[in-house]
Protein backbone atom coordinates (compact mmCIF):
# COMPACT_ATOMS: atom_id res chain seq x y z
CA UNK A 1 0.00 0.00 0.00
CA UNK A 2 0.98 3.61 -0.36
CA UNK A 3 0.33 6.54 1.92
CA UNK A 4 -3.14 7.81 0.99
CA UNK A 5 -3.91 11.51 1.28
CA UNK A 6 -5.86 12.45 4.40
CA UNK A 7 -9.29 13.85 3.61
CA UNK A 8 -10.17 17.45 4.39
CA UNK A 9 -13.49 18.34 5.99
CA UNK A 10 -14.65 19.68 2.64
CA UNK A 11 -13.82 16.35 1.01
CA UNK A 12 -15.57 14.40 3.74
CA UNK A 13 -18.66 16.56 3.27
CA UNK A 14 -18.56 15.87 -0.48
CA UNK A 15 -18.17 12.14 0.16
CA UNK A 16 -21.17 12.17 2.50
CA UNK A 17 -23.11 13.88 -0.26
CA UNK A 18 -22.08 11.20 -2.77
CA UNK A 19 -23.20 8.42 -0.45
CA UNK A 20 -26.52 10.15 0.24
CA UNK A 21 -27.04 10.57 -3.49
CA UNK A 22 -26.48 6.85 -4.08
CA UNK A 23 -28.63 5.56 -1.20
CA UNK A 24 -31.73 5.17 -3.44
CA UNK A 25 -29.68 3.11 -5.90
CA UNK A 26 -28.34 0.95 -3.07
CA UNK A 27 -31.80 0.27 -1.69
CA UNK A 28 -33.58 -0.39 -4.98
CA UNK A 29 -30.90 -2.20 -7.01
CA UNK A 30 -32.52 -5.66 -6.72
CA UNK A 31 -35.72 -4.28 -8.26
CA UNK A 32 -34.03 -3.55 -11.61
CA UNK A 33 -31.30 -6.18 -11.41
CA UNK A 34 -31.63 -7.33 -15.01
CA UNK A 35 -31.06 -3.79 -16.29
CA UNK A 36 -28.17 -2.78 -14.05
CA UNK A 37 -26.26 -6.05 -14.54
CA UNK A 38 -25.66 -4.89 -18.13
CA UNK A 39 -25.49 -1.12 -17.61
CA UNK A 40 -23.81 0.60 -20.57
CA UNK A 41 -22.90 -2.65 -22.34
CA UNK A 42 -24.05 -3.67 -25.80
CA UNK A 43 -25.54 -7.13 -26.50
CA UNK A 44 -22.30 -8.07 -28.29
CA UNK A 45 -20.18 -7.02 -25.30
CA UNK A 46 -22.41 -9.00 -22.94
CA UNK A 47 -22.13 -12.10 -25.11
CA UNK A 48 -18.38 -11.81 -25.74
CA UNK A 49 -15.94 -13.94 -23.76
CA UNK A 50 -13.67 -12.20 -21.27
CA UNK A 51 -10.69 -13.53 -19.33
CA UNK A 52 -11.81 -15.42 -16.24
CA UNK A 53 -15.18 -16.55 -17.58
CA UNK A 54 -14.26 -20.21 -17.25
CA UNK A 55 -12.99 -19.96 -13.67
CA UNK A 56 -16.41 -19.80 -11.98
CA UNK A 57 -18.90 -21.56 -14.28
CA UNK A 58 -21.54 -21.72 -11.52
CA UNK A 59 -21.41 -18.07 -10.53
CA UNK A 60 -24.80 -16.76 -9.41
CA UNK A 61 -23.81 -13.11 -9.84
CA UNK A 62 -22.78 -12.10 -13.36
CA UNK A 63 -22.55 -8.52 -14.52
CA UNK A 64 -21.08 -6.89 -17.64
CA UNK A 65 -20.94 -3.11 -17.70
CA UNK A 66 -19.21 -0.65 -19.99
CA UNK A 67 -18.49 2.99 -20.72
CA UNK A 68 -16.98 4.93 -23.62
CA UNK A 69 -13.95 7.07 -22.76
CA UNK A 70 -12.53 9.79 -24.98
CA UNK A 71 -8.95 8.68 -24.39
CA UNK A 72 -6.79 5.88 -25.77
CA UNK A 73 -6.45 2.51 -23.99
CA UNK A 74 -2.89 3.55 -23.14
CA UNK A 75 -4.28 6.58 -21.27
CA UNK A 76 -6.94 4.53 -19.46
CA UNK A 77 -4.78 1.56 -18.44
CA UNK A 78 -2.75 3.24 -15.64
CA UNK A 79 -5.92 4.12 -13.72
CA UNK A 80 -6.76 0.41 -13.47
CA UNK A 81 -3.27 -0.69 -12.47
CA UNK A 82 -3.17 1.53 -9.37
CA UNK A 83 -6.65 0.64 -8.04
CA UNK A 84 -7.00 -0.55 -4.45
CA UNK A 85 -8.04 0.51 -0.97
CA UNK A 86 -5.47 2.98 0.40
CA UNK A 87 -3.63 2.78 -2.91
CA UNK A 88 -5.22 5.02 -5.54
CA UNK A 89 -8.70 4.17 -4.29
CA UNK A 90 -11.55 3.06 -6.53
CA UNK A 91 -12.60 6.48 -7.93
CA UNK A 92 -16.04 5.82 -6.43
CA UNK A 93 -17.56 6.44 -2.99
CA UNK A 94 -14.33 7.03 -1.08
CA UNK A 95 -16.13 7.13 2.25
CA UNK A 96 -17.23 3.52 1.72
CA UNK A 97 -14.35 1.89 -0.13
CA UNK A 98 -11.25 3.96 0.71
CA UNK A 99 -11.76 4.98 4.38
CA UNK A 100 -12.61 8.50 3.30
CA UNK A 101 -9.22 9.05 1.67
CA UNK A 102 -9.75 10.77 -1.69
CA UNK A 103 -9.08 8.60 -4.72
CA UNK A 104 -6.07 9.66 -6.73
CA UNK A 105 -6.50 12.23 -9.48
CA UNK A 106 -3.02 11.66 -10.89
CA UNK A 107 -0.99 8.67 -12.02
CA UNK A 108 1.12 7.30 -9.14
CA UNK A 109 4.30 5.75 -10.63
CA UNK A 110 5.12 3.86 -7.42
CA UNK A 111 2.00 1.71 -7.93
CA UNK A 112 2.79 0.62 -11.48
CA UNK A 113 5.05 -2.39 -11.07
CA UNK A 114 2.27 -4.69 -12.20
CA UNK A 115 2.98 -8.38 -11.62
CA UNK A 116 0.89 -11.52 -11.55
CA UNK A 117 0.12 -12.24 -7.89
CA UNK A 118 -0.01 -8.59 -6.79
CA UNK A 119 -2.71 -7.86 -4.24
CA UNK A 120 -5.59 -5.50 -5.04
CA UNK A 121 -6.81 -4.63 -1.53
CA UNK A 122 -10.54 -4.26 -0.97
CA UNK A 123 -10.13 -3.33 2.70
CA UNK A 124 -7.46 -1.63 4.89
CA UNK A 125 -6.23 -4.94 6.34
CA UNK A 126 -2.50 -4.68 7.04
CA UNK A 127 -1.96 -8.17 5.62
CA UNK A 128 -4.20 -8.90 2.63
CA UNK A 129 -5.75 -12.34 2.31
CA UNK A 130 -7.77 -14.00 -0.43
CA UNK A 131 -10.90 -13.01 1.49
CA UNK A 132 -10.03 -9.30 1.79
CA UNK A 133 -8.30 -8.69 -1.53
CA UNK A 134 -8.22 -9.70 -5.16
CA UNK A 135 -5.01 -10.88 -6.80
CA UNK A 136 -3.77 -10.03 -10.27
CA UNK A 137 -4.36 -13.30 -12.12
CA UNK A 138 -3.22 -12.31 -15.63
CA UNK A 139 -3.11 -9.33 -17.97
CA UNK A 140 -2.10 -7.91 -21.32
CA UNK A 141 -0.92 -4.35 -20.91
CA UNK A 142 -3.30 -1.74 -22.35
CA UNK A 143 -5.71 -4.52 -23.41
CA UNK A 144 -7.12 -6.53 -20.47
CA UNK A 145 -6.67 -7.25 -16.79
CA UNK A 146 -8.06 -10.02 -14.58
CA UNK A 147 -8.33 -9.97 -10.78
CA UNK A 148 -9.46 -13.06 -8.88
CA UNK A 149 -10.49 -14.32 -5.46
CA UNK A 150 -11.62 -17.86 -4.59
CA UNK A 151 -15.27 -16.82 -4.89
CA UNK A 152 -15.15 -14.12 -7.57
CA UNK A 153 -13.46 -12.76 -10.68
CA UNK A 154 -13.25 -9.17 -11.87
CA UNK A 155 -12.20 -8.66 -15.49
CA UNK A 156 -11.46 -5.51 -17.45
CA UNK A 157 -11.11 -5.11 -21.22
CA UNK A 158 -9.96 -1.96 -23.04
CA UNK A 159 -11.01 -1.91 -26.68
CA UNK A 160 -10.11 0.92 -29.08
CA UNK A 161 -13.13 3.00 -30.06
CA UNK A 162 -12.68 5.27 -33.05
CA UNK A 163 -9.42 7.10 -33.60
CA UNK A 164 -8.59 7.89 -29.97
CA UNK A 165 -11.27 6.45 -27.73
CA UNK A 166 -11.75 3.38 -25.53
CA UNK A 167 -14.60 1.07 -24.68
CA UNK A 168 -13.91 0.06 -21.08
CA UNK A 169 -15.77 -3.15 -20.30
CA UNK A 170 -15.84 -4.77 -16.87
CA UNK A 171 -17.27 -8.09 -15.78
CA UNK A 172 -17.79 -9.44 -12.27
CA UNK A 173 -18.66 -13.07 -11.54
CA UNK A 174 -19.25 -14.28 -8.00
CA UNK A 175 -20.33 -17.48 -6.27
CA UNK A 176 -22.53 -17.43 -3.18
CA UNK A 177 -21.30 -20.50 -1.27
CA UNK A 178 -24.17 -21.00 1.17
CA UNK A 179 -23.11 -24.53 2.06
CA UNK A 180 -19.52 -23.92 3.20
CA UNK A 181 -19.36 -20.19 3.89
CA UNK A 182 -22.88 -18.91 4.69
CA UNK A 183 -21.74 -15.68 6.38
CA UNK A 184 -19.43 -14.84 3.49
CA UNK A 185 -22.26 -15.61 1.07
CA UNK A 186 -24.62 -13.31 2.97
CA UNK A 187 -22.04 -10.53 2.90
CA UNK A 188 -21.59 -11.10 -0.82
CA UNK A 189 -25.33 -10.76 -1.42
CA UNK A 190 -25.44 -7.46 0.47
CA UNK A 191 -22.37 -6.01 -1.24
CA UNK A 192 -23.11 -7.20 -4.77
CA UNK A 193 -26.88 -7.22 -5.02
CA UNK A 194 -27.31 -3.87 -3.27
CA UNK A 195 -24.01 -1.98 -3.47
CA UNK A 196 -22.18 -3.07 -6.59
CA UNK A 197 -24.14 -1.20 -9.25
CA UNK A 198 -24.01 2.27 -7.72
CA UNK A 199 -20.37 1.89 -6.71
CA UNK A 200 -19.18 0.45 -10.01
CA UNK A 201 -21.10 2.96 -12.11
CA UNK A 202 -19.44 5.75 -10.12
CA UNK A 203 -16.07 4.02 -10.57
CA UNK A 204 -16.47 3.80 -14.35
CA UNK A 205 -17.43 7.44 -14.51
CA UNK A 206 -14.51 8.32 -12.23
CA UNK A 207 -12.04 6.56 -14.52
CA UNK A 208 -13.60 8.27 -17.53
CA UNK A 209 -13.27 11.74 -15.97
CA UNK A 210 -9.66 11.18 -14.95
CA UNK A 211 -8.48 9.61 -18.19
CA UNK A 212 -10.16 12.24 -20.36
CA UNK A 213 -8.77 15.04 -18.21
CA UNK A 214 -5.17 13.87 -18.53
CA UNK A 215 -5.59 12.96 -22.19
CA UNK A 216 -6.82 16.48 -22.85
CA UNK A 217 -3.75 17.94 -21.15
CA UNK A 218 -1.23 15.65 -22.86
CA UNK A 219 -2.82 15.36 -26.28
CA UNK A 220 -3.13 12.12 -28.24
CA UNK A 221 -0.58 9.44 -27.43
CA UNK A 222 0.26 6.22 -29.18
CA UNK A 223 2.05 3.23 -27.74
CA UNK A 224 2.37 -0.37 -28.89
CA UNK A 225 0.69 -3.13 -26.88
CA UNK A 226 2.73 -4.10 -23.85
CA UNK A 227 3.68 -7.29 -22.08
CA UNK A 228 1.46 -10.18 -21.12
CA UNK A 229 1.36 -11.45 -17.55
CA UNK A 230 0.32 -15.02 -16.76
Amino acid sequence: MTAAARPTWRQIAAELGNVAHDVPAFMTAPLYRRWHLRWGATPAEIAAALPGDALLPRAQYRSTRAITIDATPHAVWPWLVQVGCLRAGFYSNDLLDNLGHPSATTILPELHDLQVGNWVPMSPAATPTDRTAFKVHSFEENAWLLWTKPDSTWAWRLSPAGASGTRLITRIRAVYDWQHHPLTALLGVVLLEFGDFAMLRRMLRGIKTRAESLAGEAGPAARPAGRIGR
Side-chain angles (χ1 to χ4, degrees):
M1 293 187 185
T2 189
R6 292 186 176 276
T8 65
W9 287 111
R10 184 185 297 273
Q11 288 168 329
I12 291 174
E15 291 166 9
L16 285 169
N18 288 339
V19 172
H21 179 274
D22 286 344
V23 163
F26 293 147
M27 300 302 295
T28 61
L31 301 178
Y32 47 92
R33 187 178 192 267
R34 179 176 175 80
W35 173 79
H36 77 63
L37 289 180
R38 51 187 64 192
W39 180 85
T42 67
E45 290 166 344
I46 294 165
L50 286 184
D53 282 355
L55 297 179
L56 295 173
R58 294 187 295 174
Q60 297 100 320
Y61 186 89
R62 305 182 183 200
S63 69
T64 302
R65 299 172 177 127
I67 197 167
T68 299
I69 301 176
D70 189 17
T72 64
H74 165 59
V76 176
W77 175 258
W79 298 102
L80 297 176
V81 173
Q82 63 187 29
V83 161
C85 181
L86 298 185
R87 283 167 50 90
F90 290 88
Y91 324 117
S92 184
N93 280 310
D94 292 324
L95 195 64
L96 302 180
D97 59 22
N98 205 38
L99 270 67
H101 296 275
S103 291
T105 56
T106 60
I107 302 302
L108 305 175
E110 66 271 22
L111 299 179
H112 285 261
D113 182 21
L114 183 64
Q115 303 289 338
V116 169
N118 284 1
W119 291 108
V120 182
M122 303 296 289
S123 78
T127 304
T129 70
D130 59 13
R131 294 294 171 186
T132 65
F134 282 90
K135 274 188 176 179
V136 175
H137 177 279
S138 50
F139 65 91
E140 181 179 347
E141 192 174 346
N142 300 325
W144 59 266
L145 174 62
L146 175 62
W147 302 328
T148 61
K149 295 200 304 159
D151 61 355
S152 53
T153 62
W154 193 348
W156 298 88
R157 182 179 294 283
L158 300 83
S159 300
S164 59
T166 299
R167 279 293 284 175
L168 179 60
I169 305 163
T170 185
R171 177 172 295 166
I172 294 176
R173 288 178 172 241
V175 171
Y176 301 140
D177 188 355
W178 295 104
Q179 182 177 357
H180 299 100
H181 302 284
L183 292 180
T184 300
L186 179 61
L187 179 62
V189 167
V190 172
L191 293 178
L192 291 172
E193 302 291 348
F194 289 88
D196 179 55
F197 168 56
M199 298 288 285
L200 189 50
R201 178 174 61 176
R202 189 176 286 274
M203 181 180 184
L204 288 170
R205 289 171 170 171
I207 293 171
K208 174 181 172 71
T209 297
R210 288 164 171 79
E212 289 180 349
S213 176
L214 286 192
E217 293 175 5
R223 181 181 174 184
R227 61 198 174 101
I228 295 178
R230 302 283 185 190

